[in-house]
Amino acid sequence: MVLNVGKPQDPTGLTIEAWAQGFMVGSLMVMACITFANMRRGVLLHKLILTELVLGMFHGTFIFTNPPVYSWYLSVTAIFLNISWSLHNVIARIKVKPFLPKWGIILFISTLALVQPYWILEITAN
């Protein structure tokens, strides 16, 4: 079964999609500005968070493209979104590391590693 994912054609659907993407990109920009304002020299966590936010922003811009670029651009930006999601989980691991036993950290990282083939397959299928 092939799903035909396309840009919304009706004005209402297009408006809702554009507003949703605008809110997403806007909120990510606000968070990136706050992170940048709080950055300190030598703190890796702040740089990782800023990278995560910037990678997520690209996915909020696919509404501005038209077919056939729309589907291609949607898939490519989904790669950056999934990298951002994985980086988010790495950041979460860094933050909770003091509170987890060794087996908890191993479980956390292994579940993160186990889902990566699924996301690769999902992006490839699109």
Side-chain angles (χ1 to χ4, degrees):
M1 181 173 119
V2 176
L3 295 174
N4 186 9
V5 177
K7 187 175 183 175
Q9 298 301 319
D10 63 301
T12 305
L14 192 60
T15 303
I16 291 172
E17 185 70 31
W19 271 92
Q21 289 183 21
F23 278 127
M24 183 186 83
V25 171
S27 63
L28 289 174
M29 289 178 103
V30 168
M31 289 189 288
C33 289
I34 292 169
T35 302
F36 185 75
N38 290 316
M39 285 182 79
R40 282 182 243 138
R41 178 170 276 159
V43 179
L44 177 64
L45 184 62
H46 294 148
K47 293 174 187 154
L48 290 175
I49 292 171
L50 189 61
T51 303
E52 169 200 357
L53 294 170
V54 170
L55 286 172
M57 282 184 210
F58 293 113
H59 197 63
T61 58
F62 65 85
I63 197 66
F64 299 113
T65 59
N66 292 313
V69 176
Y70 178 83
S71 301
W72 171 85
Y73 190 78
L74 183 62
S75 294
V76 169
T77 58
I79 294 169
F80 292 116
L81 188 64
N82 285 319
I83 292 170
S84 173
W85 174 79
S86 296
L87 187 57
H88 177 80
N89 285 308
V90 169
I91 292 166
R93 182 214 165 257
I94 291 171
K95 288 181 175 181
V96 300
K97 185 179 178 183
F99 307 107
L100 288 178
K102 187 170 175 89
W103 65 267
I105 294 170
I106 292 170
L107 180 67
F108 190 92
I109 292 298
S110 31
T111 55
L112 180 60
L114 286 172
V115 298
Q116 297 308 316
Y118 167 77
W119 288 115
I120 292 168
L121 181 65
E122 182 72 24
I123 291 171
T124 306
N126 282 336

